[in-house]
Every structure is written in C-alpha cells, then in structure tokens.
Amino acid sequence: MENLISVKGLHKHFGNLVAVDGIDLEVQQGEVLGFLGPNGAGKSTSMKMITGYLAPTAGSISVCGHDVAIDPIAAKTCIGYLPEGAPAYGEMTPSSFLSFVADIRGLGGKTKTNAIARAVEQINLEGVMHQPIETLSKGFKRRVGLAQAILHDPKVLILDEPTDGLDPNQKHEVRSLIKEMAAQKAIVISTHILEEVDAVCSRAVIIAKGRLLFSGTPAEFAAHSYYHNAVTLSVASDISATVEKTLAVLADVSGIESATTDRDMTRVTVIPKENRSIVGSIHNCIRQHEWEVDELFVEPGRLDEVFRTLTTKSESTGEETRT
Amino acid sequence: MSRTLTILKRELGAYFATPVAYVFIVIFLLLTGVFTFHIGELYERNQADLEPFFRFHPWLYMLLIPAISMRLWSEERKAGTLELLMTLPISLVEAVIGKFLAAWCFTAIALALTFPVWITINYLGDPDNTVIIAGYLGSLLLAGGCLAIGSFISALTKNQVIAFVISFVICFLFNLSGFPLVLDMFSSWAPQAIVDVISSFSFLTHFESILRGVVDIRDIIFFGTLIAFFLYANVLAIEAKKGS
C-alpha cells in the first residue's frame, strides 16, 4: 500500500506558543486515521498544515507524493478538506456553492455535473439545493461542507470534526459514508468523540500538547486501559457482598469495583492484574457457587479512561503550550 | 487565469445576492445626480461638458468605495471561508486579483449606469466626447485605486466597520495629499523632496489632469502602480494573518 500522507518532524510555533511539537505520521490508502486529543492539542493546526493552509515552522509534509511546501496546488488538488466548523459562503445555495468549488477544482462540463450529482446523492442534499446556506440547519451546513470535500473524489480526505453538532442519525450516516469511502482513500478525521474511533477508525493517534502520545488500532488503544480484560457481572444485591469477597481472593485479581444499578441488582467489576484474562476462573467460580448472574462480559477497555490517563500525564510535564 | 475568473464570478454574484449592490447603486446614482445638477450646476454653467459630474467623484468614492471593499477579506476571515478558499487549488495571488476585479467590475457597472447624464449633455449641446471618455477612464482608475487600498485594509481586520473607517481615512488622505492640510504636517520637518513625493500622490491632481482630456501615460502608471502595490500588500497581509 502506498503512503498517501507522509509527515516528518512537523513543528508549528505561534510566537512563543508551541502548537505542534514534532509530529511524524504516515497514512496509507485504505486507512481511516482518527486524530484524538483535548481541545488545543494541535489537531486542527496539524490538519491546517497538511492541507497547506498554514506553513509549518519546521518539518515536511507530502500528500500523494507532492511536497505541500513546494507544490501546494498539486497537493491541494488531491485533498478534500472539511475545515473545523464547516465554513461556507452563507449567501450562496448549496447548488451554486458546489458549482463554484467544482469550477475552482477545474471540473467542467459533464464531469462537473456528474461530480455534483454524486456528492449530492451520497450526502443526501437534494432537498436543500436551492436554499441559501445561511438559512440551513447546522446538520445540513456540515453536510454541505462534506459534499464540497468529496466533490472531486479525492485520494486524501481530511475532516476536522465531521460529526460535531450532528444528531445521532446524522452521525451514523456520516460514519457509514466514511466507511464506504475508506477502501480507495486515505482518510484523517479529528474528533473528541471516542466512540467514533471504534466506529470508523482503523487506527488512532492521540495528540496532546502538540506531541504524538500514542498510535495504534482502536483495540490496542483500549488495551492500555486499566479495565482491559476486566470482567463485569450483575448479581442480586443481597448476594453481592459474598460474590465480591469470593472473587477478590482469586489469583490474578487486583481489585473489585461495584455499583448498584437499580434497586436489587449490583454490577460488580473485577479488575485483573496486568490485564490478564480472568474470565475463565470467574466463570468456574460462578458455576461452583451457583450464583444467578444477569449479565457477564469482558471489558475491551475504556477509551475515555485511556484518553484521560494519556493526556493528563503529558500535562504534568508543565511545558508551555497553546490552550 | 480561469480560477481568477471563477473567483470574480462568485464575488460579483455575492454583491448581487444581497441588497448591498442595489442599495449601493441607488445611493451612488442619487448622489452623483445631486452633485452634478445642484452643487455642480451643470445646467447653469451653460457649457457642454461633464466636468461638474466628474469633479465630485474622488469625494464620492472616498465614502462609497470602502463600503464595497470592506467585506472582501474581512468577511472571509470572520466566517472561516478563507481557510476553505486557501485549501482549494488556487494561489493567493489569483484569489486577490479575482476579488479585486469583481469589486472593480461592480463599480464599473455602477459607473456605466450614469449614462443618462452623458445622453443629457449630448442632447443639450455638442460636447467633446473624447474628453468624456477620458473622464470615465479616469474615474474608473480612481475607483480602482480606492478599491485596492480598501481591499488591503480589509485583509488586515476581521471587523468590517474598522475596515470601512480606515479605508475612508486613507482615501481621504490620498485625495488631499496635494493640499496644505496634509502637506503642512510634513513641510515643517521633512525635506522638500519628501513633501514633493507626498504631494505627487494626490488622487485629485492625477484625476484632474485626466479630466481635462489629457490621458497622460504617467497618470495611468500612477494608478496602475498604486493598485499593484496595494494588491501586493494585500497578499502579504493575508499570508501574515492566516494563522490568527
């Protein structure tokens, strides 16, 4: 697979502020890369540099083999970009706006008509094609931005918070669309919705304070969790104390957490030592004591917890960064 | 080049998509009418020329052109569409020229709509139409100069009101730079050469020489250089302000 995006030693300083502090990144065709990080971590700034909007302080970026600094027009030709907040010209209608973008991208005649028709169909924009964009709802505005980004069927798609402000149905649609397009493209999305990583990304990177803290598949990401391989079971509240006591002494168990879910059920989470698999021994235990268990599942790991641990750890290093 | 045309088309469309264009054209025509016939006393002069019509254009443009140019870049920066535009495969120079030309075409349309004045004077008398054509050319060049200044100022701020006020003041200074009001500020301390240079920047001097029907290449070069200079500054301003 060829590398469609290749970023080396990327730095961006705004005066004394270090927004991006040495990021290396490669994205291949077929990958959907999730950019994660707290607000102000440098996600948007990195995307602005990859798309050629901002010039890096140091480092090099190449997109589809074109160096963004040397041949920006060629690089921009193969990128589709949805900037943060999906900006568009408010007084234009989606129809005239898409036609404008197609003209700038050099699509003409039948190619242009087909490109617009395809994008409109994929994004479901038919109903609002002739209303001024400023009168559209937030969800439709974002869809117009997406349609603009995929108009020329680019090899590289960079989407800054594509699902921000959408309702759950619209989020689902956008995610399905991303998955549909993934095979032929290299897609980078930034988000702070962690479930999105699981839903669409083939790989996730975490950025905080302008640095890359983690890179791996969503499963690897989850494996960093304190809860990875933990087992959760629901039992009646009156036997929960016994259950906790029995399970706590099992080998490989490092701790127990419990929470009352409703009046008479308690959810017990058993945490293993060093993320070892303990579901077998717990299962045996349940059979042996003939407990009635409502639910029993192994946790893959909690993304929000990993995210918090990774990103707050870097905060304590106390470097000056952009907020 | 075709991308510059695309920008031009979009920008020109944007003027007419909102009431701005119509309000501007109506006010412009009303004001030229008032200036020409009442203050300029076109009829009372009993001369078959359009001098009273053109004479007030520098003052009209000083007020009205910033209203056209103020949105050119401020709006893009404020709405975030600058990022969209600059990540499309188009160079900044193409975009700057496209937007400037759109605003210039718009003023040309407004100016062309003053044709009844020209018809009137031809009906009433026998004017030298080459002088009138020179007058229109001079007026267009003057508008271009004000627009380039306004476009540059608009690139510096996200606030359209600030862009309007500052462009107004700068056009005002350019208009008056041959007059004692401006020259006195410099003559007391600056060498005579600098005072002369400042005085040669006067829009009024260059415009008036064209109005007399003498289309001097130096006046055209003056306005051409002025436009090129401010559009170049415009490009630099956008480059510098992109991150903020």
Side-chain angles (χ1 to χ4, degrees):
Chain A
M1 281 286 171
E2 73 182 302
N3 270 336
L4 290 180
I5 304 176
S6 162
V7 172
K8 288 194 189 77
L10 194 63
H11 285 78
K12 181 71 188 176
H13 300 183
F14 292 104
N16 288 328
L17 298 175
V18 181
V20 175
D21 190 12
I23 286 183
D24 296 286
L25 203 64
E26 276 178 352
V27 191
Q28 299 179 333
Q29 184 177 342
E31 274 194 297
V32 179
L33 179 71
F35 251 43
L36 297 172
N39 287 327
K43 299 184 302 254
S44 289
T45 308
S46 303
M47 289 184 150
K48 284 174 186 176
M49 288 191 281
I50 296 172
T51 53
Y53 179 62
L54 294 179
T57 310
S60 71
I61 302 163
S62 113
V63 178
C64 300
H66 305 289
D67 189 305
V68 175
I70 294 167
D71 195 354
I73 301 282
K76 286 170 187 179
T77 305
C78 64
I79 302 177
Y81 177 41
L82 173 72
E84 191 175 10
Y89 296 105
E91 79 284 349
M92 297 180 103
T93 63
S95 164
S96 57
F97 178 63
L98 293 179
S99 161
F100 163 72
V101 174
D103 286 343
I104 292 247
R105 290 205 175 273
L107 307 174
K110 211 161 168 65
T111 329
K112 175 178 161 182
T113 324
N114 291 343
I116 294 177
R118 184 183 44 79
V120 166
E121 199 217 307
Q122 276 182 301
I123 311 278
N124 286 330
L125 273 178
E126 290 91 352
V128 297
M129 282 303 273
H130 301 290
Q131 285 178 34
I133 294 172
E134 60 198 357
T135 65
L136 298 179
S137 69
K138 206 173 170 187
F140 269 119
K141 277 184 193 160
R142 189 141 313 231
R143 285 201 243 176
V144 171
L146 273 169
Q148 163 275 126
I150 64 164
L151 191 63
H152 54 302
D153 197 17
K155 293 293 274 179
V156 171
L157 201 51
I158 295 180
L159 309 172
D160 201 347
E161 300 187 352
T163 59
D164 184 45
L166 299 185
D167 68 35
N169 294 337
Q170 295 167 335
K171 276 185 188 160
H172 178 76
E173 278 173 33
V174 170
R175 286 173 194 163
S176 323
L177 179 73
I178 292 173
K179 276 194 271 188
E180 246 170 63
M181 296 187 298
Q184 286 88 38
K185 300 185 196 304
I187 302 178
V188 179
I189 66 169
S190 83
T191 179
H192 32 229
I193 309 168
L194 293 162
E195 64 201 70
E196 210 144 274
V197 176
D198 242 354
V200 295
C201 297
S202 61
R203 190 154 64 94
V205 294
I206 294 188
I207 299 176
K209 307 256 160 189
R211 291 208 176 128
L212 212 66
L213 297 179
F214 170 87
S215 169
T217 63
E220 286 167 354
F221 181 44
H224 275 65
S225 171
Y226 174 65
Y227 292 99
H228 178 56
N229 277 342
V231 174
T232 296
L233 58 161
S234 289
V235 293
S237 291
D238 47 352
I239 62 159
S240 72
T242 340
V243 171
E244 282 174 42
K245 227 182 277 171
T246 322
L247 293 179
V249 297
L250 284 178
D252 287 341
V253 169
S254 76
I256 301 257
E257 287 173 10
S258 68
T260 314
T261 49
D262 58 48
R263 253 177 311 163
D264 21 68
M265 294 306 288
T266 298
R267 186 173 265 183
V268 180
T269 303
V270 189
I271 295 148
K273 282 180 189 153
E274 292 156 10
N275 301 130
R276 285 176 205 154
S277 176
I278 51 170
V279 66
S281 46
I282 290 176
H283 186 241
N284 287 340
C285 213
I286 294 168
R287 280 221 303 229
Q288 204 181 326
H289 295 86
E290 292 176 347
W291 293 326
E292 266 189 41
V293 176
D294 247 31
E295 54 172 358
L296 173 75
F297 62 88
V298 181
E299 297 223 20
R302 296 183 188 173
L303 297 177
D304 57 343
E305 182 244 346
V306 184
F307 181 80
R308 215 164 33 238
T309 322
L310 281 172
T311 54
T312 48
K313 213 172 19 184
S314 76
E315 246 159 54
S316 54
T317 56
E319 278 180 47
E320 192 189 8
T321 15
R322 198 168 168 229
T323 49
Chain B
M1 190 60 207
S2 72
R3 290 189 285 238
T4 306
L5 281 178
T6 305
I7 297 280
L8 192 163
K9 222 171 67 186
R10 197 210 77 76
E11 286 293 324
L12 201 54
Y15 282 116
F16 287 98
T18 59
V20 174
Y22 305 99
V23 171
F24 177 88
I25 288 175
V26 168
I27 301 276
F28 176 74
L29 294 179
L30 276 176
L31 286 179
T32 43
V34 169
F35 278 119
T36 309
F37 294 105
H38 292 275
I39 303 172
E41 299 186 321
L42 183 84
Y43 293 140
E44 291 80 350
R45 283 169 79 243
N46 254 327
Q47 286 181 28
D49 63 25
L50 284 184
E51 200 269 338
F53 166 69
F54 288 117
R55 199 195 326 150
F56 297 101
H57 281 195
W59 309 103
L60 267 178
Y61 287 161
M62 171 184 92
L63 181 70
L64 293 178
I65 294 281
I68 300 181
S69 61
M70 66 180 186
R71 55 165 285 283
L72 280 176
W73 293 100
S74 304
E75 203 175 38
E76 295 264 359
R77 286 185 53 203
K78 189 158 191 176
T81 43
L82 181 64
E83 187 174 347
L84 179 86
L85 188 65
M86 292 292 95
T87 49
L88 291 173
I90 180 171
S91 74
L92 186 49
V93 174
E94 288 173 311
V96 166
I97 293 177
K99 274 173 169 279
F100 168 76
L101 288 180
W104 210 6
C105 282
F106 179 69
T107 47
I109 292 170
L111 193 61
L113 289 174
T114 61
F115 70 91
V117 181
W118 174 72
I119 291 177
T120 308
I121 203 78
N122 270 284
Y123 176 73
L124 292 174
D126 186 19
D128 183 347
N129 276 320
T130 52
V131 175
I132 293 178
I133 290 170
Y136 272 109
L137 178 75
S139 180
L140 205 55
L141 284 172
L142 181 70
C146 293
L147 277 174
I149 292 170
S151 181
F152 163 64
I153 300 296
S154 163
L156 293 175
T157 171
K158 287 182 189 175
N159 187 319
Q160 296 197 28
V161 177
I162 293 176
F164 175 84
V165 173
I166 295 184
S167 307
F168 170 82
V169 170
I170 293 183
C171 289
F172 181 69
L173 291 177
F174 265 100
N175 269 352
L176 282 185
S177 69
F179 284 72
L181 178 73
V182 172
L183 291 180
D184 285 353
M185 286 196 288
F186 297 93
S187 55
S188 56
W189 56 272
Q192 188 58 36
I194 291 184
V195 177
D196 287 345
V197 167
I198 292 167
S199 138
S200 75
F201 281 160
S202 170
F203 281 172
L204 289 183
T205 328
H206 290 280
F207 184 53
E208 274 166 10
S209 76
I210 299 178
L211 279 196
R212 285 193 298 270
V214 190
V215 184
D216 190 330
I217 190 76
R218 276 174 300 179
D219 295 320
I220 295 179
I221 289 175
F222 168 75
F223 284 113
T225 316
L226 184 93
I227 290 169
F229 174 80
F230 276 102
L231 290 187
Y232 179 63
N234 191 341
V235 170
L236 296 184
I238 296 286
E239 277 300 346
K241 292 275 182 177
K242 264 197 307 197
S244 57

